[in-house]
Structure formats: C-alpha cells, structure tokens
Amino acid sequence: MSIIKDVQSGKKPLKRAYVAIFLWFTGRAIQAAAKVDSEVKKEFEKLPEDFTFSLGCLPCGPWMVVGREKGVVKYLGGDSRGRPVQVRLAIKSLDAGFLILSFQESTALATARNRLITDGEIPQALAIIRILDIVEVYLLPKLIASLAVKRYPSWWSFGRKLGGRIGVYTRTLLGI
Amino acid sequence: MLLPDYYEFCCRVKIVAGHDALEKIPDLLIERGAKKPLVITDKGVAGAGLIDIVSRALGDRVQADLIADDVPPDSDLRVVNRLARLYRDNACDAIIAVGGGSVMDTAKGINIVVSENAEDLMAFSGVGALKRPLKPLVAVPTTAGTGSEVTQVAVIKDHEKHLKMAFGSYFLLPDISILDSRMTLTMPPFITAMTGMDAMSHAVEAYYCLQKNPLSDAHALSAVGMIYRHLPLVVKNPDDREGRLAMAVAACLAGIAFSNSMVGLVHNLGHATGSVCGVPHGLCMAILLPYGLEYNLHKMADVMAELLLPMAGEQVYLATPAEQRAQKVVSLIRGLNEDLHAITGGRHARCLQEIKDREGKPSVPRDVLPQIAAAALLDGASIYNPEDTDYEDNLMVLEAAWEGKPLDRSRVKKG
Amino acid sequence: MNSAAVFDFTCPVKTNSGNKALEHLPVELAGLNAVNPLIVANARAVGPKAVRTLMNAFGDSKMTLGLFEGVTEAADLGVVDHLKNICLEKKYDAFIALGGGKAADVAKVLNLAVSLKTPDARQLSPKTPVRKRLLPLVVVPTAGADGLETSGFAHLNRMIFSSEFLAPGLAVLDSRLARARKGILMAATGLAALGRAVESHVSADRNPFQKAYSFAAVRFVRENLPAAVADPGNKKAALAVLNAAAMSGCAFSNAASGRLHKLGQVFYELLGIPQGVIMGMCLSRVLEDGFREGSCDPAALLQPLAGDDAFARTPAGKRAEAALALLNRFLEELRGALGKDLPKSLSEAGVSGYRKEEILDVLGKDEDGHYLRGVVEGMAGGKRERKG
C-alpha cells in the first residue's frame, strides 16, 4: 500500500443549495428592479442591447445569469447557455459565497477583502455593482442593507423606498 | 495594527536598490538562464542619456545591444506586437524595460505575447488568464512615482478598436526591479515634484482605502515618511543622490502598498481628469490628494491620523490633539503642495485652474468639470474608496479642487 | 537605510490570511496551473481535525488530493526520496505543507527533488544548484509554527538548504488552524516570531522593505501574544500571532542568520525544544550585548513595541534603553502568565549537563562560537546545573 492516499474532495450540498436559491432570488429581483426602479432602468439602458452578466462561485458554481433580450432585462437561469457573458463577477469559493449571501459579509467588504474577481470591461462591471447595491437596498431591511452597501441612501424618498420594495418583491416572487 | 477578517498580500518582485544597482543586472539575468535581453524604452529616456548608463552597466557579460527606444507615451497594441516580433526575430530571452508607466505596460504586454506564444494578446486580458511564469522581466523605473515596477496590472490600448484592455495577474509582476539613483538624477524639478506626489498619493490612499492590511500599511507608513522628508529637498537640490535613491525606494514601497490595498477617489478623479484634459497624472494626484482625504475623513479619521507621526515627526504629533490629527495631515499635504509650488517657480500647480498647457492656456477649463465627473463613474478605483461616490459627489470635489478651496465637509453625503 | 552599498530584497510568498482562507485554495491552485496537489502533513503534530479542515476546504471543487500524513520529527532525505518516486509516478503538480516544522521542511526539499527530477534525493545537499522556479508550494502553518515556513530555508539531515526558490509561493493562514491547545504552544510560536523579527529589525544592514515585515511582526506579537497565551481559544489573537510568524520568516529570509536564530535552531535540532522557548530565554541578553558592542540598534524597536504615543514621548537618546526595558517587561509578563510552562533556564527546560555539552560542541564550530557558548552558559541557571 502506498504511503500516499488519494482522496476525492467532498461535497457541500447544503451550502450549495442555499447559495443557489439566493442567486436565483437575486437574479429575479434584478429583473424586477429593472422594471420598477428608474435608476436601475437607466443603468441597464446604457449597456449594450444583448448585454449579459453572471454572478457566482468558483470553481464549480452555482451561477446566476442576467441579460438583456431585445432590450428587456431577464433572469436567464443558472448557466449562460452558450451566450457570451460580458461581465463575470466570480466569488473565490462557495464558502465565501455563503458568507456574502447569508449577509455575514457585505458585498463591499467582500470586495475589500479580495474575495471577488471581476472580469470584463470595467465601466460595465461598475454599472452592475451599482445595480446590485440598489437591489440590495430594496430587498433587505435597513439594518442589514446598511451593512451590505457602502452608503445607505437615506436621502431616498419614503415613497421610492416603499413603492420600490413592494414592486420588487411582488415581481420577484411572481417572476414577472 | 489592525488585522482584517481576511486579506491577501503579494509582492514577489526582487528589489535591488543602490547607487550602482544597474551593475547587478547581468548576474541576475545569468542566474535566470537569460543572456540576450531586449531593452525597451522611450525617446525621452534615451535622449536623456539614461540608456547609455544602462548599457555601460550591462557590460559585455550579456548581449544587450538590441535596444528599442521608440515606445510612445501612449503605447498600444500595435507597438506591443511590433516589439514582440523584434524579440522573436532576434531570439531574445528576457526583457529590460527602462522608463515610466507606458514602457512598463508595453513590456508586460510583450512578455505575454512572447511567453505564451500568443497571436492575440486580447485572449489574455482580464484577471487570472495567465497561469504560469513569463520570461524574465527586469524593470528599471526612471521616475520615482508610478510604482509600476511592482504592480501586477498592465493597461494596453487598441487605438484601432478604441478599446482599453486591462491585464491582471501576479505573473505580470516584474521578476526584478532595479532602483538606481542615476536613473532619476537628471529629472527636472517640476517633473520630480509631480511624480513624487504621485507616489505620495499611492502611499496615502493605500493607507485609507478598503483593501488595507498590515503589510500594505507597513509599506505605506514608511513610504509616507520618506517622501514627505525627501521630496522638497530633492526638488530644491536635484543632484542630491541620497535623496534621489530614497525617493526611488519610497515610490517603490508606495507601489507595493497600493497594488495590495488599492486606491480610491483621488485616483478615480485623477484618471478621469487625465483622460478628459490630457494633463499629467502626477499633477492631478498632487492636487486631488487633500480632497480624497477630506471626502473620506468622516469614515477614516483614526486611520488618517496615524499618518501624522511619520510625516511631521514627534513634536508636531504630540502637539496635535488626537482628534485633530487627521485634519493636520490634510493641511500638511496642502503645505507640501505650496512648498513645491514655490520651489518650482509656480510650475507645480496647486489647483486644477492653475494647470496650464505649453502655450500657457488653462488645461482644465471650469466647464469640463461635469464631463470629468461623469467619466469618473467609469473608473474602477471607486470600488475601493471608503465612502461611496456618485456624479454629484465627484462634481462637488472637482469644483473645490478647481478653485483650490478646502472641501466643505458638511456637504459630503453620509449614509 | 544603508545606502552605501547595493541591497536587495525578495519575498516570493503571497499571504492569504483570515476567515475561510483555506477555501480559496482550489482557485489559488488553478491560478498556478495546478490541479493535482499533494498534502504533506505531520498528522500527529497537527491533529486529525486540522487535516479534516484542510480536506473539507476542497469540498465541491471536484479535485483529487494526495495525502501523506506521515511526516515525523525523524523524517530525512530517505523519506523524501521515497515520496519523490511516488510523486513522479502519480504526477502531483503542487505541494501543500500542513503545519510548521518538519512538514514544511520535507515539502520544500520534496518540491526540489520532484521539480529537478533528482534521480536519488538522498544525494541532495545545500550545494545542489537551484536556478529555476520549482513547482507551486503552499504552506499552511498551524499553531506551533516557527516562522521558518515562509522562509527560503529547509532543515533536513542536519543540513540547511537555502534558496529563494525554496520559499513557498503562498502561505495560507486560517483562523480555524491558528488556535493552540495550550498557551505555551502559542508562546513558542510568538517568541520565535519575535526573536527573528527583532533580530532582522535591529540589524545594521536592514533595508526599508525588510523593515516593513519586521515592523508589522513585532507590533503584532506585542499587541496579540499576551491575549493569545491567556486564552488559546482567542481566534483573532491567535491568527495575529500566526501572521507575525509568517512575516518574521519573510524578513528573516532577507537578513543574515543572527545569533538568536542560531541558538534557537541548535536546541531545536538536537533536543527538540521549540525555538521560541530558547529565543525567549536569551532575547534580552543578546540584544543588550549587541547594543553594547554597537552591532545592533534596539532604538528601532521602540515604535513597534511601545506604540506611536509612547514612542513619540521618548527622547531619541533614550529609545534604545526604553525598548530594552519594555521588551524585558513584556517577557516577564509572559513568564508570569505561563508560570512553569515556560522555562526560564536550561535546567528548567530539562536540559542535562551532558546535553548542554553537546550543544556547546556544535556551537563551538560557529564563527561566532565563543559568544554563543557564553550565552548558553548564562542560560544554564537552576540547581540541577550545579548537580550535573
């Protein structure tokens, strides 16, 4: 018998499932926010017609893909299905993805901590980060959102916050 | 000293520094199995006689007579491909890059093409596309400022397709950086001042931006102290060899710090001002640095206060109450700009409206500020700035920097 | 800065430190073109839980890992040769050393043998030329690390292999592996880090690049070792000490091998006493002697040791004494906290007169032998010495 054992790396089904569900939810929320929030809408309009971006974990996923189809922003599922992806935001490990998506580590902090690799044209990647920040403000209660983004937009009107939140949530859950 | 919950730090470059550091190159190349380097540089460097110094130092132990001295200040893909062909046709086995940022970026691009035997440099753009070490690259910086001798990124433009490609990989770090006082000895005072302030902005921003960590901090602190002490002396007395070497070392320390902790608003607005108005990068950095500190002060005052001791020394540090130290750092940097302005006979601009082109016309007219503020939204440095920035924030800072008035901090939006 | 001569500095090590640092390993290895790493560990020293934590970090990566857990303190070039043959056959393309000490030494020399495809690794010696980059090597120090993990040195068969190419390309410091079972283990790690960092920080030929590492290491030990020793479960303090150890190795690789290091190493090699224990015993004396001879400058230690305020308040002429006094007090407090666990003399460490003679013999061959022997005599202490 060899003194060296070969060991297959294990699996992490629970963490994987959690991350996959949250990515799915975020993807649908971006689709919803693109309809409800004028700022998100404007950011997307500045991007190319068939623009696609993905967010997920290295080395083996899961991923979320969002893109514009004929100008309409759509959540495109868990893999890019052969579509060219212009911007890829890759979290360095499934565990880091779990830290971020379970709000133990904010997106801004995760970037600061070097856990996020951004691939693609920088101006487009920055637009995506601004969109994610706005979506986070809609999805999360203020206490958590103010940790997740660098600066909580306390100057937003009450109407924008409430109306937007209801709109984003309803559309996310219904998938419209 | 703060230990972040998670951090990464890397600078694999072998640094060789001294008044005759260049003479070590042949040994270092031979150690790495190379004997026929391609020397690349630009016309300015060659014209200043620096290549002659390098050639003499290289001697005849390596064959270094192939010199390409025509890298333009705004290098691009065509230059990279042409020089890569030159490298291959002559069976070179290493690259020696003598110059500033553009030469370094070009050298990194050539190195990707020749090491990966690539037809299309584009295929290696982005982060992490390189997976193995490239050919030996020796960086010889000729400005004590950019720090590109120790950075892992290269930006290469494709002027035909109007693209700006960024490459990021630890394999892009030069193998060796040579800091030799002779390379900066003839730099004119005005250039010395702004490149030195470029280095200062690297060190200071590295100290307060988001990826800061204990090792980037240690490099930054030491750089800040050395630059604050030596820069005015060297600008006043260009022949000061010790000062020149200290500035080269400090700029390198600052480069290591910022390439590991990243930079923020100052670079964000500086890059945008540079690209909209074509003004020298170092000058933008010098002018904007106090504003970057002021804009982020409400979040990072304690951290900024720690810069006072290395800058001003014990007496000023002790005489300044703890809660005023960050503000004191800001005024010291403004004071440094004033000093450099005086020593250079006014050529070192203190605010954006003072920057003039060769004909003496203002380079940054007030009505382009909105354009700069918008361009800044497209620059990646904003990610690492402690406080968020949007168009209005950018414009507010630019207006203050244009007039040369301190930032009205009550107008900074806080979350 | 000593600018009279040309100086150079290299630190080939990338540091990844903190929460879930291990989980980034699959991505880090992929970036180095490695897909089939071999883990080299002393399972008895690090414990099965550490091995499990490391293996679990690869979960969901679909990678296959080789695992050799059998490094012992007696590991030698024979073991390396045996491992090398298997590695060449199974085509491992990277090495991960789990734990400090011998595991790191074996992994470094194994990497050398595999990368150079040495026919017989038992023939390797410090004279073997190393001119090229070796395969990727990652070190994962655990509590009990001595700081040499991140250096370009490997000790095997009583030989010292030394080359910048031997140093690892990556050091992963993970909070989960930083905690020690006992305070003394933490103290040994911290004192070894302190010893090497101090020695590098005060040396006459130090340069600003090296100083960045030694400054951070000294400050981290000073700020965190007491807390880590008082509560070995304090993750944050333990991680900071591990950071200091890694930094000290980087600084030390670029400094001339100093007295403290030599003393720590000889006791470790011959008697297995952790380097930090010995360095803690003789740190003050070696520094005071160096100060008196003018060969070192303890004043440089005051800022990292005392903090900015105290440093600024101390007049320049009094900084060396102040630093030495502070260091003494720091060591005293550590001894106070650990009581009998941290021996104050060789006799308390259980070194018999006979073994001490052996040490003195080895030190006698050193160029600085006369001085080093004097220090060892001074450390003897205790009643047992008189009896033996």
Side-chain angles (χ1 to χ4, degrees), chain B residues 261-315:
Chain B
S261 90
M262 309 312 277
V263 283
L265 181 67
V266 175
H267 280 76
N268 190 352
L269 296 179
H271 292 154
T273 312
S275 72
V276 172
C277 304
V279 289
H281 174 71
L283 212 43
C284 299
M285 295 295 102
I287 293 169
L288 290 164
L289 184 55
Y291 297 95
L293 285 158
E294 284 174 326
Y295 184 80
N296 291 298
L297 200 118
H298 63 285
K299 278 201 165 172
M300 306 302 277
D302 292 352
V303 165
M304 292 168 181
E306 290 165 4
L307 294 171
L308 187 60
L309 181 59
M311 278 171 78
E314 297 85 339
Q315 284 182 352

Side-chain angles (χ1 to χ4, degrees), chain C residues 62-301:
Chain C
K62 298 186 181 145
M63 287 171 80
T64 308
L65 315 161
L67 174 63
F68 173 66
E69 306 182 84
V71 177
T72 62
E73 283 303 315
D76 60 8
L77 287 173
V79 176
V80 170
D81 189 56
H82 188 63
L83 288 170
K84 177 216 67 183
N85 290 332
I86 305 175
C87 287
L88 287 175
E89 181 198 325
K90 290 198 169 182
K91 299 201 166 59
Y92 292 110
D93 54 11
F95 301 93
I96 302 173
L98 174 63
K102 271 288 167 299
D105 291 331
V106 167
K108 284 175 189 173
V109 182
L110 176 61
N111 189 13
L112 182 66
V114 174
S115 302
L116 301 180
K117 299 202 172 63
T118 315
D120 184 354
R122 281 164 297 197
Q123 303 299 319
L124 286 173
S125 83
K127 294 205 180 78
T128 310
V130 195
R131 291 238 173 82
K132 62 169 203 166
R133 288 200 190 84
L134 311 180
L135 286 168
L137 168 67
V138 180
V139 294
V140 182
T142 56
D146 54 27
L148 288 181
E149 298 81 13
T150 49
S151 73
F153 298 98
H155 294 79
L156 220 56
N157 285 36
R158 298 225 175 146
M159 292 185 286
I160 305 174
F161 294 82
S162 155
S163 158
E164 65 183 71
F165 296 109
L166 278 180
L170 173 66
V172 181
L173 315 173
D174 192 290
S175 343
R176 287 162 294 176
L177 301 184
R179 281 179 294 178
R181 276 160 306 202
K182 287 191 199 139
I184 175 66
L185 217 62
M186 216 66 246
T189 302
L191 287 172
L194 182 66
R196 293 205 180 87
V198 161
E199 199 148 57
S200 151
H201 202 73
V202 300
S203 74
D205 57 359
R206 65 185 183 262
N207 64 61
F209 298 92
Q210 182 189 341
K211 249 169 70 184
Y213 287 86
S214 53
F215 181 95
V218 172
R219 193 161 261 194
F220 264 168
V221 170
R222 159 81 183 153
E223 286 177 351
N224 297 285
L225 187 57
V229 165
D231 172 13
N234 183 337
K235 258 196 201 179
K236 188 121 198 186
L239 182 64
V241 174
L242 215 54
N243 263 274
M247 293 165 188
S248 74
C250 299
F252 172 73
S253 286
N254 287 278
S257 197
R259 288 167 169 176
L260 282 169
H261 168 74
K262 283 180 187 163
L263 289 163
Q265 206 55 35
V266 68
F267 279 92
Y268 173 67
E269 290 280 314
L270 264 59
L271 307 178
I273 301 175
Q275 292 103 318
V277 171
I278 298 297
M279 289 190 196
M281 260 182 231
C282 54
L283 183 56
S284 298
R285 158 136 192 220
V286 169
L287 273 184
E288 278 158 18
D289 291 345
F291 181 42
R292 214 172 308 125
E293 294 165 11
S295 61
C296 80
D297 169 27
L301 285 174

Side-chain angles (χ1 to χ4, degrees), chain B residues 1-21 24 31-32 130-134 170-171 175 179 214-215 218-219 221-222 226 242 245-246 249 252-253 256 306 309 314 317-318 325, chain C residues 1 3 5-21 24 28 30-33 131 133 164-165 169-170 173 208-209 212-213 215-216 219-220 223 236 239-240 243 247 303 308-309 311-313 319:
Chain B
M1 207 165 231
L2 218 67
L3 180 63
D5 229 39
Y6 182 79
Y7 79 90
E8 297 186 1
F9 180 92
C10 177
C11 181
R12 295 202 172 109
V13 183
K14 184 182 193 81
I15 292 151
V16 184
H19 295 305
D20 40 12
K24 300 281 174 189
E31 236 174 60
R32 284 160 179 76
L130 295 167
K131 306 257 185 212
R132 54 182 172 211
L134 309 178
Y170 290 115
F171 295 120
D175 296 76
L179 311 176
L215 286 170
H219 284 84
L221 283 174
S222 157
M226 289 171 82
E242 296 304 321
L245 183 59
V249 167
C252 184
L253 286 164
I256 295 173
E306 290 165 4
L309 181 59
E314 297 85 339
Y317 176 84
L318 289 176
R325 283 178 187 153
Chain C
M1 187 170 59
S3 61
V6 172
F7 68 81
D8 64 63
F9 177 86
T10 329
C11 177
V13 190
K14 178 183 181 207
T15 307
N16 287 8
S17 156
N19 189 16
K20 304 276 179 196
H24 292 341
E28 290 284 350
L32 297 164
N33 233 4
R131 291 238 173 82
R133 288 200 190 84
E164 65 183 71
F165 296 109
L170 173 66
L173 315 173
F209 298 92
Y213 287 86
F215 181 95
R219 193 161 261 194
F220 264 168
E223 286 177 351
K236 188 121 198 186
L239 182 64
N243 263 274
M247 293 165 188
Q303 196 181 359
D308 289 356
D309 278 7
F311 165 78
R313 275 195 301 270
R319 285 187 185 149

